[in-house]
Amino acid sequence: MAVEISVIVPLLNEQENVYPFYNRLKTALNNTCNSYEILFVDDGSRDGTMVAVEKLAGEDSAVKYISFSRNFGHQVALFAGMEKCSGDKIVLIDGDMQDPPEVITTLHEKLEEGYDVVYAKREDRKGESFLKKATAKFFYRLMNKITSINIPLDTGDFRIMTRKVCNELVRMQEHNKFLRGQIAWLGFKETSVSFVRDERKTGSSNFTYTKMISFAIDGITGFSKFPLKFASLSGIIFSIAAFIFIVYVMLAKLLWGQTISGWASLMVTILFLGGIQLLSIGIIGEYMSRINDNVRNRQQYIVNKTNLP
C-alpha cells in the first residue's frame, strides 16, 4: 500500500546514529505528512547497525529495511531503496545526521509548489576540512564544464522527488551510478532549498578520499566524453610535434651538418610521451571497464535479509 512519503536512508557502520537519527526523522515526518515509511538500507555494515535497525522495525511498523550481503556502495544502496519503496514522494538522506531531517519539511513544502525535484543546497559544511570542501567544489564545477548536463553546485544526494522521477531513475540500470547526475540528466523541473550541513557527532566518515576519486570517475565517465577527446587530441598534437621534430633533425643533419645531441632532453621527451600514452590507455580502460560491467549484467546488489514483502 502506497504511503505519502518514503524516506530512503543508506547506512554503513552507523550503529550509534540509528536511534538518534530515527527520533529526529520521525518528528520531522509527523510534522510534514500523514503517512510515511522509513526504509533503511544497510550497505554491509560490520558493527551493530542492523541489530539496531531490526529492533526499531519491531517497535515501529513504518520502519522497513534491506540488508545487503556485503558492501555494494552508497549509490547502489540508494538505488535499491528507490526500487523497493512505495511512497508517492521519495526523500534521499544519509543516516549520519549531517543532513538535518528537519529540512525535509521545507523540501516537501517546496515540492508542493509544482516541482518534480527539490534538492538541499549546502550553504556551509561544518566539520569538513578545507581540502575536502575545495576538491568537492572543483569537481562539480569541472563536471558542469565538460558535460552537457547542469548538475546543481554544492549539493549532495539529500533531496525529495516525485514518484515519476523515481520511476525513471529505476529504469536507468547502469552499474556505475551517479544519481545526482542521473537526476539532472532526466531534465524534470527542479529547484533548491538552502541549509547548513552539520558536522558528524559520532563515528567517522565512510566517504574516504579513495571513494571520492572513484565517485568522481564514475560521474565523469558516465556523463562526459571529454576524457576520450582529450586522449585523442593529445595523440594528434604530440604526433604532429614529433613529425616536425623529425623533419628538423633531418634538415639539420643534411643541410647544416649538425647533429642534434642531448641525452637528458631526449629522455625527458620519451618519459613525457610515455606518460601521455599510459594516461590515454588508462582513460580508455576506464570506459571499457564500465562497458564490461554492464555487459556482464550481474545483479547490482544482493539482499541478505529484509522485512519488505
Side-chain angles (χ1 to χ4, degrees):
M1 180 179 178
V3 294
E4 187 175 349
I5 295 180
S6 290
V7 183
I8 300 169
V9 188
L11 298 172
L12 177 60
N13 301 327
E14 298 290 355
Q15 174 184 346
E16 297 177 5
N17 286 323
V18 171
Y19 265 88
F21 174 80
Y22 163 78
N23 290 330
R24 287 178 61 182
L25 178 60
K26 185 174 181 180
T27 300
L29 290 172
N30 286 331
N31 293 330
T32 304
C33 62
N34 296 318
S35 62
Y36 60 84
E37 67 175 1
I38 302 170
L39 179 50
F40 289 105
V41 184
D42 178 56
D43 189 22
S45 296
R46 297 177 300 277
D47 60 0
T49 297
M50 267 313 297
V51 175
V53 170
E54 287 180 289
K55 185 178 178 182
L56 268 180
E59 299 169 356
D60 185 350
S61 61
V63 174
K64 311 296 181 185
Y65 63 81
I66 300 170
S67 178
F68 289 168
S69 60
R70 63 169 177 83
N71 179 259
F72 284 92
H74 176 267
Q75 299 291 286
V76 175
L78 288 173
F79 179 79
M82 288 189 289
E83 277 196 316
K84 304 297 184 182
C85 69
S86 60
D88 294 325
K89 301 156 191 172
I90 295 88
V91 173
L92 309 181
I93 182 172
D94 289 341
D96 55 12
M97 294 202 299
Q98 289 187 267
D99 295 332
E102 294 78 13
V103 178
I104 291 174
T105 302
T106 310
L107 292 172
H108 181 261
E109 289 172 353
K110 199 69 176 177
L111 191 77
E112 292 292 277
E113 294 179 12
Y115 293 97
D116 296 303
V117 182
V118 182
Y119 50 86
K121 185 174 183 178
R122 304 159 178 165
E123 285 187 344
D124 189 21
R125 304 170 68 172
K126 295 181 179 179
E128 295 187 2
S129 67
F130 170 79
L131 179 61
K132 190 168 185 178
K133 291 179 183 178
T135 51
K137 189 173 184 178
F138 170 76
F139 167 68
Y140 287 110
R141 281 154 180 79
L142 174 65
M143 280 289 292
N144 281 340
K145 288 289 185 182
I146 67 176
T147 65
S148 58
I149 60 172
N150 183 28
I151 300 175
L153 300 176
D154 305 317
T155 64
D157 292 307
F158 185 22
R159 63 193 65 208
I160 188 171
M161 68 186 80
T162 60
R163 167 54 60 179
K164 173 175 63 177
V165 177
C166 181
N167 288 343
E168 292 300 327
L169 280 172
V170 168
R171 290 178 59 195
M172 301 170 75
Q173 291 289 321
E174 59 250 46
H175 282 244
N176 303 99
K177 299 188 180 302
F178 184 66
L179 292 176
R180 60 198 74 170
Q182 291 173 244
I183 292 171
W185 181 87
L186 290 174
F188 288 110
K189 188 178 180 182
E190 61 180 32
T191 189
S192 65
V193 167
S194 297
F195 79 108
V196 175
R197 195 170 197 238
D198 295 332
E199 61 181 311
R200 177 181 276 270
K201 299 295 191 299
T202 60
S204 58
S205 175
N206 295 300
F207 204 51
T208 62
Y209 283 107
T210 301
K211 289 185 178 180
M212 285 176 62
I213 292 171
S214 177
F215 184 64
I217 291 173
D218 284 342
I220 292 171
T221 55
F223 291 93
S224 175
K225 296 178 182 178
F226 176 80
L228 289 173
K229 292 179 180 178
F230 169 79
S232 300
L233 186 61
S234 298
I236 292 171
I237 291 173
F238 286 108
S239 294
I240 293 172
F243 176 76
I244 293 173
F245 185 70
I246 290 170
V247 171
Y248 168 72
V249 170
M250 292 176 63
L251 290 176
K253 179 66 175 177
L254 296 174
L255 298 182
W256 305 302
Q258 296 178 356
T259 301
I260 306 300
S261 61
W263 181 87
S265 60
L266 180 61
M267 288 304 298
V268 168
T269 303
I270 291 173
L271 291 173
F272 181 71
L273 291 177
I276 291 293
Q277 289 174 337
L278 290 175
L279 175 62
S280 300
I281 292 170
I283 290 171
I284 296 169
E286 288 291 341
Y287 280 92
M288 291 184 65
S289 173
R290 280 148 180 74
I291 293 171
N292 184 48
D293 286 340
N294 286 283
V295 167
R296 284 184 302 196
N297 200 30
R298 292 177 183 170
Q299 59 268 49
Q300 299 187 41
Y301 58 88
I302 298 173
V303 176
N304 182 35
K305 54 185 173 181
T306 180
N307 65 342
L308 292 170

